[in-house]
Amino acid sequence: MRSIQSFLFVILGLMAMLGTVASHNYADALTKSILFFEGQRSGKLPQDQRMTWRKDSALNDGADIGVDLTGGYYDAGDNVKFTFPMAFTATVLAWSVLEFGDSMGPDQHHALNAIRWATDFLMKATNKPDTVYFQVGHGQEDHNCWQRPEDMDTPRTVFAATIEKPSSDVSAEIAAALAATSIVFKYSDQAYSATLLSRAKKVFEFGHKHRGRYSENYAKPPGAVCPFYCSGGIAEDDLAWGAMWLFKATNYDHYYWNSAVNSSKILNHNLHEFGWEGKNAGINVLVSTIVNKDGATNKSDTDPFIQNADKFVCALMPESPTKVVYYTPGGLLKLQGVNFKHASLTFLLVVYSRFLKEANKEIHCGHVVVKRNRLIEIAKGYVDYMLGNNPMNMSYMVGYGKKFPHKIHHRGASLPSMDKHPAKIPCANNHFFHHSDLNELTGAIVGGPFDNDSYVDDRNTVERSEPTTYMNAPFVGLLAYFNRPPPAYI
Ligand SMILES: *[C@@H]1O[C@H](CO)[C@@H](O)[C@H](O)[C@H]1NC(C)=O
Ligand SMILES: *[C@@H]1O[C@H](CO)[C@@H](O)[C@H](O)[C@H]1NC(C)=O
Ligand SMILES: *[C@@H]1O[C@H](CO)[C@@H](O)[C@H](O)[C@H]1NC(C)=O
Ligand SMILES: *[C@@H]1O[C@H](CO)[C@@H](O)[C@H](O)[C@H]1NC(C)=O
């Protein structure tokens, strides 16, 4: 009896070992992907801050114009607070929790904190009626300095959108973030949830009534706002996105549905876009989460969105005749810009795969039939590539796996911590720029490899070695999704 038992244990142990070799530790990667946001925090850090090499910073943001704009996130490896990508980050984090929060385990608590760190700031940035503070810090002057956020002395210029200089894009994205987050906190913090929703409505109206793109008014002189997160094209996609989240968050107030439909009318191109600068695919997949929900809207109304969501899928599938993305030789999905930015697209694939299951539906891309599992397979391939299944045999997440980047383009990570080096570090000519990271920005996902799958661990190749909040956010959702036993996702 005993020998049979120990034999079974050996077999089980071997299976477990093989299992860990064959697949990734999604739970560990998930924990780290969320921890990363603590390294991006601006303002007064809380008692429960886990990334302790970071300290309080930018405690006077907004003081020069008499408003409190402390808090929020530095968006990437610099120390500017760009409200537009920050709001998008919050929306995607909130959506990740709404869809996959139940497989986050104890990390769900940290994910909620990460969202709140953004939304608390977004509330401050929209506290004054008909005003949206869309940036703190001067783009070029900040980028010219290699300084820790804790002792930076670059200008903390505040930029505002007003009725005269409107911002339909940023306002609508903030509305989306606050609306999505209001759903996240609907039961756990009703007062906060109600406050967020009421502000979301006001900010949406501001963006809706006073049309314009924020960066139009700040394109000149170049260097302060543009060319960093300039909003090109149109703001109708942002407005449709904001309205659709409000439709969901208000438990289906048709004013927002009609507004979203009206804004969507002209969104027939670039159906595969989803990022801070383009929302089309996000809108269509978001609609899939309300199809057949009581009180939402009827099927014929949602059909056009679902058809467009199908087109989005067909734009991504390698075997599809209408594919618009391409794949690197190592298998990484690629569109334009930085590689791991497209996590947002694969996040949509897993969200949409749930609808396909519910609706018992498959997608026809010309003569090619795409089944639900295929969407999951593509998304899993993307996540696994990032975690180490790639020609470089390396993880692109700092602190995950044996081999990962050590010279990321990130001021805080590269410079010594305040604990080790309390004296001020000057703006220019500090030798730390050339050293390996002195602090581990755990969970940071860098821009990623070249299109030939190679990667050079080099701080100078900004687009490869810089992490950003809006790249990590969709990975949080993806990693949560894959952090469940295989039968649940295949
Ligand atoms: C409908 O959308 C157009 C832009 O596409 C906008 O100019 C108009 O104000 C919108 N109408 C309503 C009622 O929202
Ligand atoms: C439902 O569908 C019909 C057309 O089939 C349409 O006229 C109607 O406005 C739709 N929406 C709602 C909310 O009933
Ligand atoms: C990655 O691992 C494979 C298989 O072990 C090996 O053939 C290849 O040379 C490795 N590539 C690099 C860049 O280390
Ligand atoms: C990969 O692409 C980069 C950028 O174009 C280039 O510098 C590098 O030499 C290429 N590496 C290989 C192995 O072809």
Side-chain angles (χ1 to χ4, degrees), residues 390-393 403:
N390 56 61
M392 295 294 292
N393 302 329
K403 186 181 170 196

Side-chain angles (χ1 to χ4, degrees), residues 254 296-298 300-301:
H254 275 78
T297 190
N298 65 28
S300 65
D301 283 347

Side-chain angles (χ1 to χ4, degrees), residues 470-490:
Y470 50 89
M471 278 195 309
N472 260 67
F475 273 114
V476 169
L478 284 162
L479 290 164
Y481 180 75
F482 290 112
N483 182 33
R484 48 176 98 192
Y489 64 76
I490 287 179

